[in-house]
């Protein structure tokens, strides 16, 4: 009966981050020790003051349907956060709270993209962007980049692809999967190009804002030339170790915030009431635990970069933010060991899953098939074991 599945869904690929994580979980459940470096989620628990706020929300009876766009005090806290941290001026009415940033982005795409509209996405990109666009009937248009420029695309390429069908420009900085951070100068140049095309909506995914080792987060929404058409996406998953709480949000032009509210009102209604209350605490409370997590990620990054640098044929990029490194491993294509032939990055991931007990994600899922993505949001012990195992398994590949 599978033919009954809609054409719409058939156009969409499964999320490779979740596929690999599911495989790792299944192998673990069957008794094999697998180190999961395929999912991007902090291994830390949610900070105590946020947990406490959730308990209080339950005790205070926040157990009913919340408003579709979010509680007014959360929308106010988000509006204040945008001004305080990002110098962005979004009024509370321009904020929509959703069930994770993934949901926020999907809302924006579904609210803006018509059949055949083009969405410009710099590669490497987060795995879900193109699939969301396809689900909406749009066409993803990629801007290619390589490790030589630390995965920053050529702005002439952006000039070249822009046309009357371009509807949205969608990117993340810090970037998942490369960890690259776009500087103020780079974003100013990009804003200048986009400003020549008044009907383009810019979607800036800043979910890794707080996990930045350069300490230089800049929001493209600050550029006055793009006034009224930048959607800034953020959430509590990464910066506050709250992946399971499912709270993301946007600041958007009022017309688009209203459109997202209308859409969300027919799909999910408001996001979880208790998680919303806890998120107020996250956004208004101490940043100390978040800073500590980022400092720990930084140490792990040094360790992983060093370990990768010592593996022949592995060329790691400079991860400036988030908790990913995206090495070029194409030197291993054409090699083999026993029954394993490595023809592409997926083959290498499967080989490392089986022979090194480490789960990773193929770069093909992010638009760069010569790479693999390694998440270092794991304990130092796990990372040490993983790097050892990977190094030994790679050394077994020949010629
Ligand atoms: N954007 C990027 C770039 C991500 O890596 C993630 C992580 N899943 C998300 C959005 C969505 O995060 P969440 O839905 O957990 O808020
Ligand atoms: N964003 C994370 C990742 O890229 C979580 C998994 C997902 O939602 O795709 O691994």
């Amino acid at each position: 009966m599978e033919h009954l599945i809609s054409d719409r869904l058939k156009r969409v690929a499964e999320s490779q981050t979740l596929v690999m994580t599911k495989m790792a979980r299944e192998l673990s459940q069957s008794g094999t020790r697998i180190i999961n470096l395929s999912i991007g989620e902090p291994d830390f628990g949610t900070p105590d003051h946020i947990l406490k706020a959730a308990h209080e929300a339950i005790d205070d009876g926040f157990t009913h349907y919340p408003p579709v766009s979010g509680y007014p005090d959360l929308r106010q806290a988000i509006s204040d956060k945008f001004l305080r941290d990002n110098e962005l001026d979004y009024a509370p009415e321009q904020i929509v709270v959703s069930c994770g940033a993934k949901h926020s982005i999907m809302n924006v795409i579904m609210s803006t993209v018509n059949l055949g509209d083009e969405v410009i996405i710099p590669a490497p990109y987060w795995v879900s962007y193109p699939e969301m666009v396809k689900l909406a009937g749009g066409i993803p248009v990629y801007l290619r980049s390589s490790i030589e420029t630390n995965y920053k695309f050529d702005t002439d390429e952006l000039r070249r692809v822009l046309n009357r069908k371009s509807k949205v420009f969608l990117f993340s900085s810090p970037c998942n999967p490369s960890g690259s951070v776009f500087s103020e100068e780079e974003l100013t140049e990009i804003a200048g190009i986009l400003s020549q095309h008044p009907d383009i909506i810019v979607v800036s995914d800043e979910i890794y804002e707080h996990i930045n080792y350069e300490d230089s987060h800049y929001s493209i929404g600050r550029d006055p030339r793009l006034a009224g058409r930048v959607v800034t996406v953020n959430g509590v998953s990464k910066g506050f170790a709250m992946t399971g709480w499912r709270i993301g949000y946007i600041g958007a032009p009022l017309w688009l915030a209203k459109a997202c509210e209308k859409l969300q009102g027919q799909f999910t209604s408001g996001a979880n009431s208790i998680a919303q209350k806890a998120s107020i605490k996250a956004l208004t409370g101490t940043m100390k635990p978040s800073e500590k997590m980022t400092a720990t990620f930084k140490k792990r990054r040094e360790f992983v970069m060093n370990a990768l640098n010592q593996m022949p044929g592995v060329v790691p990029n400079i991860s400036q933010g988030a908790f990913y490194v995206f090495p070029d491993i194409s030197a291993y294509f054409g090699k083999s060991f026993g029954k394993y032939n490595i023809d592409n990055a997926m083959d290498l991931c499967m080989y490392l899953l089986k022979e090194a007990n480490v789960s990773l994600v193929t770069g093909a899922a992010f638009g760069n098939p010569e790479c693999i993505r390694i998440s270092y949001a794991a304990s130092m012990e796990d990372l040490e074991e993983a790097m050892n195992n990977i190094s030994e398994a790679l050394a077994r590949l020949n010629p």
Side-chain angles (χ1 to χ4, degrees), residues 144-154 180 186 320:
R144 300 285 165 195
S145 70
S146 72
I147 197 160
E148 272 92 61
T149 54
N150 206 23
Y151 299 110
K152 306 277 178 73
F153 62 88
D154 180 352
S180 294
E186 287 163 340
Q320 302 168 292

Side-chain angles (χ1 to χ4, degrees), residues 85-212:
D85 298 346
N86 312 114
E87 295 181 43
L88 294 174
D89 195 3
Y90 292 110
E93 302 74 54
Q94 294 177 265
I95 309 294
V96 181
V97 178
S98 302
C99 312
K102 191 180 261 183
H103 184 205
S104 301
I105 300 165
M106 191 67 209
N107 275 345
V108 173
I109 299 289
M110 288 300 278
S111 300
T112 54
V113 173
N114 283 320
L115 211 62
D117 281 350
E118 294 183 1
V119 175
I120 302 171
I121 305 177
Y125 43 73
W126 181 42
V127 66
S128 295
Y129 294 162
E131 306 312 316
M132 290 174 173
V133 172
K134 287 185 220 161
L135 199 54
I139 302 165
V141 174
Y142 304 115
L143 301 175
R144 300 285 165 195
S145 70
S146 72
I147 197 160
E148 272 92 61
T149 54
N150 206 23
Y151 299 110
K152 306 277 178 73
F153 62 88
D154 180 352
T155 44
D156 282 341
E157 194 56 17
L158 174 59
R159 286 189 188 89
R160 204 183 59 73
V161 301
L162 280 161
N163 70 74
R164 276 187 301 126
K165 280 193 269 167
S166 313
K167 191 70 170 277
V168 173
F169 177 77
L170 168 60
F171 75 107
S172 66
S173 177
C175 172
N176 178 1
S178 65
S180 294
V181 173
F182 283 93
S183 67
E184 178 173 350
E185 291 69 36
E186 287 163 340
L187 288 172
T188 301
E189 187 190 355
I190 293 167
I193 299 168
L194 294 169
S195 68
Q196 306 296 310
H197 297 260
D199 284 335
I200 288 193
I201 298 145
V202 179
V203 181
S204 176
D205 180 349
E206 305 183 13
I207 188 122
Y208 294 99
E209 171 190 8
H210 294 301
I211 308 167
N212 184 331

Side-chain angles (χ1 to χ4, degrees), residues 64-71 269-273 276:
H64 297 270
Y65 283 132
V68 173
S69 286
Y71 285 121
S269 291
N272 179 289
S273 57
Q276 285 200 44

Side-chain angles (χ1 to χ4, degrees), residues 15-19 21 37-41 102 126-128 176-177 207-208 237-238 243 246 323-324 361 366 373 375:
S15 164
Q16 281 303 308
T17 50
L18 302 184
V19 166
T21 297
L37 307 186
S38 55
I39 192 150
E41 83 168 327
K102 191 180 261 183
W126 181 42
V127 66
S128 295
N176 178 1
I207 188 122
Y208 294 99
S237 284
K238 315 289 175 170
T243 46
R246 310 308 305 129
F323 30 60
Y324 308 105
V361 188
F366 306 95
R373 191 190 76 172
S375 161

Side-chain angles (χ1 to χ4, degrees), residues 325-399:
V325 57
F326 199 54
D328 184 318
I329 43 71
S330 55
Y332 285 92
F333 297 172
K335 297 200 177 211
S336 59
F337 173 72
K339 62 179 177 184
Y340 298 101
N341 293 315
I342 311 300
D343 290 328
N344 52 48
M346 188 60 186
D347 290 344
L348 191 69
C349 286
M350 293 315 291
Y351 171 70
L352 292 174
L353 181 66
K354 298 285 166 58
E355 290 293 305
N357 295 348
V358 179
S359 136
L360 305 166
V361 188
T362 168
F366 306 95
N368 284 60
E370 71 284 11
C371 298
I372 50 172
R373 191 190 76 172
I374 302 175
S375 161
Y376 50 84
S379 73
M380 201 56 147
E381 296 74 49
D382 279 1
L383 290 173
E384 279 170 9
E385 192 179 337
M387 291 302 126
N388 261 335
N389 293 1
I390 292 174
S391 173
E392 284 172 16
L394 289 180
R396 287 200 286 276
L397 288 169
N398 46 60

